[in-house]
């Protein structure tokens, strides 16, 4: 299949591009490298033994995107491109709404013009907001989110529902990721956040490698087994496989549907730190801090729908995630800038 991947140089995108190349797809990446490095795709090509076509452009640039669709003739699209920092979205809501919605509108218009009707969209467990009981189910109720970033995902899901309603030719997968961590087992590609990481796993990895001094644990008084927050961490290679499974599913199914991509299990902050200590063989200093505003005590997925309908389930556990993250982080202490 010829698959166009927006944001294909990013963390989840690069692992998914690799999975597609490895199964024989032709891959066209569209990325402006606003939050990634072209080196990620060079590494992907090294692992796969073949390279994607790469177009450096902003997805919101309608004319440039049109030219890519005309030249490359994709059959399906996976849409990763977007901004994803929760705190930044609270500070700069207009930028988030305009970027995440603007890129999606431009993409949908180009797809419509070129007769491409198969789309896999990067949604997030953030759309479950803070009213639903764990485990989160896809049909658990009205979607909501507690920050502008999350609202862009709720809004885009809604827009895509309307698009699919209006034209039954569309085939759309809404993939609600839980907490993606880990790296490809080669240690050649992985997560490379700019500046100080916002998320726990890359922060812990950077403390382990000596780039940061200690992990701040945001609260140890939650109603959980050890008092720290629990999340459903999912290995990024399993997540990439989930995209392949969704694309396969869409070959034969019309309409729009949401699937959770998680493991169905919660891991606490202290358990994650312990897994990284074991993987790295190094002590990881930590300090208990007050809770971070907006955090929930526990989130994890109900994975039954993805298992039964996509035939997909996560294969890797937290030990694999920490080992693979550490392999990537220790071989590339400054991320892709280590080259
Ligand atoms: P990432 O920032 O590593 O990747 C996004 C990619 O999109 C980057 O390569 C960036 O350069 C590119 N990009 C951004 N704006 C663009 C534009 N206007 N035109 C072209 N390219 C552009 O992020 P990621 O972690 O790989 O996330 C991918 C998607 O998954 C995002 O939509 C994100 O919201 C979603 N998601 C991520 C997580 C997570 O925890 N990482 C969880 C749930 C959902
Ligand atoms: C995990 C746990 C923190 C950092 C975010 C987005 C969500 C999704 C994934 C895109 C929590 C604790 C964290 C630290 C800590 N992204 N923590 N010290 O908040 O579950 O989800 O990323 O869609 O929308 O909100 O992930 O990694 O930030 O936090 O103690 O330095 O680690 O309190 O319990 P989160 P996270």
């Amino acid at each position: 299949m010829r698959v166009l991947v927006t944001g294909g140089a990013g963390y989840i995108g690069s692992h998914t591009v690799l999975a597609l190349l490895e199964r024989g797809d032709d891959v066209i990446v569209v990325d402006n490298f606003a939050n990634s490095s072209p080196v990620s795709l060079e590494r992907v090509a090294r692992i796969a033994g073949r390279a994607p076509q790469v177009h450096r452009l902003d997805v919101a640039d309608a004319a440039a995107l049109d030219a890519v669709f005309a030249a490359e003739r994709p059959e399906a699209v996976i849409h990763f491109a977007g901004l994803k920092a929760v705190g930044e979205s609270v500070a700069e809501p207009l930028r988030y709404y305009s970027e995440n919605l603007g890129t999606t509108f431009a993409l949908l218009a180009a797809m419509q013009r070129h007769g491409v009707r198969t789309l896999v969209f990067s949604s997030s467990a953030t759309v479950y907001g803070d009213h639903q009981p764990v485990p989160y189910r896809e049909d658990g109720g009205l979607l909501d989110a507690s920050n502008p970033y999350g609202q862009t995902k709720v809004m885009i899901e809604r827009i895509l529902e309307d698009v699919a309603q209006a034209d039954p030719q569309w085939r759309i997968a809404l993939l609600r990721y839980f907490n993606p961590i880990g790296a490809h087992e080669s240690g050649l590609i992985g997560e490379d956040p700019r500046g100080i990481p916002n998320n726990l796993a890359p922060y812990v990895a950077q403390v382990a490698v000596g780039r940061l001094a200690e992990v701040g644990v945001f609260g140890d008084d939650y109603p959980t087994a050890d008092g720290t927050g629990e999340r459903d961490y999912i290995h990024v290679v399993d997540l990439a496989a989930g995209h392949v499974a969704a694309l396969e599913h869409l070959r034969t199914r019309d309409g729009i549907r949401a699937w959770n991509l998680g493991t169905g299990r919660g891991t606490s902050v202290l358990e994650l730190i312990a897994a990284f200590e074991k993987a790295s063989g190094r002590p990881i200093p930590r300090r208990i801090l007050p809770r971070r505003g907006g955090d929930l005590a526990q989130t994890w997925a109900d994975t039954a729908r993805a298992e039964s309908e996509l035939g997909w389930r996560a294969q890797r556990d937290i030990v694999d995630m920490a080992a693979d993250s550490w392999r990537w982080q220790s071989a590339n202490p400054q991320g892709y800038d280590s080259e």
Side-chain angles (χ1 to χ4, degrees), residues 1-6 26-30 55 65-78 107 110-111 114-118:
M1 202 190 286
R2 291 182 66 73
V3 186
L4 186 143
V5 181
T6 75
D26 292 320
V27 183
I28 305 114
V29 170
V30 169
H55 296 271
L65 193 61
D66 202 60
V68 172
F69 270 81
E72 301 282 7
R73 303 241 155 252
E75 295 157 89
V77 174
I78 305 181
L107 178 67
M111 290 178 71
H114 293 273
V116 184
R117 296 282 194 280
T118 300

Side-chain angles (χ1 to χ4, degrees), residues 292-313:
R292 181 173 67 178
D295 275 350
L296 299 174
Q298 299 175 302
T299 63
W300 61 83
D302 183 321
T303 59
R305 186 187 280 189
E307 283 176 28
S308 67
E309 296 180 1
L310 301 181
W312 170 92
R313 77 184 291 173

Side-chain angles (χ1 to χ4, degrees), residues 181 235 267 271-272 274-276 278-279 316-327:
I181 68 169
H235 197 297
T267 299
E271 286 170 337
L272 191 79
F276 271 85
K278 208 156 181 191
R316 295 162 180 80
D317 64 13
I318 211 78
V319 174
D320 304 317
M321 297 182 216
D324 292 336
S325 280
W326 175 245
R327 193 175 301 109

Side-chain angles (χ1 to χ4, degrees), residues 86 124 126 149 179 199-200 216-218 231 233 269 292 295:
V86 171
S124 165
T126 189
Y149 162 72
N179 289 61
N199 298 111
L200 180 63
V217 176
F218 298 147
R231 295 290 181 275
Y233 297 99
V269 175
R292 181 173 67 178
D295 275 350

Side-chain angles (χ1 to χ4, degrees), residues 91-113:
E92 301 176 71
L94 278 178
R95 183 168 153 239
Y96 268 68
Y97 286 115
S98 115
E99 274 278 336
N100 287 359
L101 295 173
T103 48
T104 304
F105 291 142
L107 178 67
L108 292 172
M111 290 178 71
Q112 230 153 2
R113 268 197 306 278

